[in-house]
Amino acid sequence: MSRHVAIVTDSTAYLPPRTMERHGITSVPLTVVVGGQALDEGTEISTRSLAQALQKRRPVTTSRPSPQVFAEHYRKVAEAGATGIVSLHLSAELSGTYDAAVLAAREAPVPVRVVDTGMVAMALGFSALAAAEAAEAGGTVDEAVTAAEKRAGSTAAYFYVDTLDYLRRGGRIGAAQALLGSALAVKPLLQLEGGRIGPLEKVRTASKAIARLEEIAADRAGSAQVDIAVHHLAAPDRASALADRLRARVPGLADLHVSEVGAVIGAHTGPGLLGVVVSPR
């Protein structure tokens, strides 16, 4: 088995399975608890089941992987030939996943660098890809970490949600608390800022909010070479149409990913979510 720097991330990166396989990226699942039943994201609960549970107002919560789960992943990666591991995770402001990884890293059989990317969804995924590409080019652990942090630092993530109620219930609203008083009268646009979900703009209708989301993403992309991801939950037609419009108006577009978010993010945003991640190369 060849010796190499391995990349580990978590299930909220929402990387396409083929992409993960091609780059040898390992994913550690977070857990979704629906009606008291704990299920691993990505394998034991579908986004459709999650959306149905939310619509029926069944109790839904999420939890981090345990340090023991991380330790087992690190052990397997080391046994496969890794001489070092870069472990990249969603914002520590949103989850305890980073902390669990840090605890496990102390007992790992090879050196592990755990990175709080401050990101989530494909904003995290693009960071993991940057680290994997650096490692594939023969880079060290430090070089892979630098590539990941550079990519995360230039990436922006914007979100439209039909309601702030799910974010409020999950305690993930952060600075967007200021919007709650008028949430019934507006359609909120949110952004990832400092690792937290915060308010961006308030727009009066869903159609205007989505048009504004498109405009903000296109402006952020400018003429640079960028990768873009369009995420959704139970809104495939909206996502596909938004992706087509961005494809037409972003001149430097390299790769465009369209995907439904998994159960962990969906549990906190609710059906109707649209997200756009803009990541300069």
Side-chain angles (χ1 to χ4, degrees), residues 95 147 240 244 255:
S95 168
S240 179
D244 287 343
D255 287 333

Side-chain angles (χ1 to χ4, degrees), residues 134-157:
E136 288 165 2
T140 64
V141 165
D142 286 346
E143 288 168 336
V145 168
T146 297
E149 291 179 336
K150 181 178 179 181
R151 191 74 184 262
S154 65
T155 296

Side-chain angles (χ1 to χ4, degrees), residues 25-276:
I25 299 171
T26 300
S27 177
V28 180
L30 274 72
T31 301
V32 182
V33 183
V34 180
Q37 183 180 10
L39 304 165
D40 282 349
E41 180 176 43
T43 57
E44 296 181 337
I45 181 170
S46 67
T47 49
R48 175 175 294 184
S49 297
L50 182 277
Q52 290 173 345
L54 291 173
Q55 288 163 346
K56 293 177 181 178
R57 300 189 72 82
R58 295 181 64 192
V60 178
T61 59
T62 61
S63 66
R64 69 178 193 178
S66 69
Q68 291 75 21
V69 169
F70 271 110
E72 180 65 13
H73 275 76
Y74 294 155
R75 183 187 63 79
K76 288 181 179 179
V77 169
E79 289 178 352
T83 55
I85 298 170
V86 177
S87 198
L88 301 151
H89 301 292
L90 80 160
S91 172
E93 295 286 348
L94 302 176
S95 168
T97 300
Y98 167 81
D99 294 329
V102 168
L103 289 173
R106 295 173 183 168
E107 307 299 328
V110 297
V112 180
R113 285 280 299 279
V114 183
V115 179
D116 172 12
T117 66
M119 296 284 134
V120 74
M122 274 298 291
L124 167 59
F126 287 133
S127 181
L129 279 175
E133 289 166 356
E136 288 165 2
T140 64
V141 165
D142 286 346
E143 288 168 336
V145 168
T146 297
E149 291 179 336
K150 181 178 179 181
R151 191 74 184 262
S154 65
T155 296
Y158 308 105
F159 306 94
Y160 160 81
V161 291
D162 277 334
T163 173
L164 289 171
D165 188 45
Y166 298 102
L167 283 163
R168 178 187 59 79
R169 278 193 262 164
R172 298 318 199 270
I173 199 67
Q177 290 280 4
L179 292 176
L180 284 174
S182 57
L184 295 177
V186 301
K187 294 297 183 181
L189 293 178
L190 309 171
Q191 64 180 335
L192 266 180
E193 188 173 32
R196 298 184 178 188
I197 297 171
L200 182 60
E201 292 185 6
K202 294 179 283 187
V203 186
R204 286 293 176 184
T205 66
S207 60
K208 289 181 179 178
I210 294 169
R212 182 63 182 138
L213 179 65
E214 174 191 338
E215 183 178 0
I216 290 168
D219 287 346
R220 177 61 184 249
S223 59
Q225 187 179 37
V226 298
D227 295 325
I228 290 179
V230 176
H231 290 303
H232 72 93
L233 180 62
D237 293 340
R238 274 181 176 177
S240 179
L242 175 57
D244 287 343
R245 294 194 299 272
L246 287 170
R247 190 179 286 111
R249 68 183 293 180
V250 177
L253 182 62
D255 287 333
L256 177 62
H257 303 262
V258 181
S259 65
E260 192 163 30
V261 298
V264 168
I265 300 305
H268 296 293
T269 61
L273 162 77
L274 274 182
V276 181

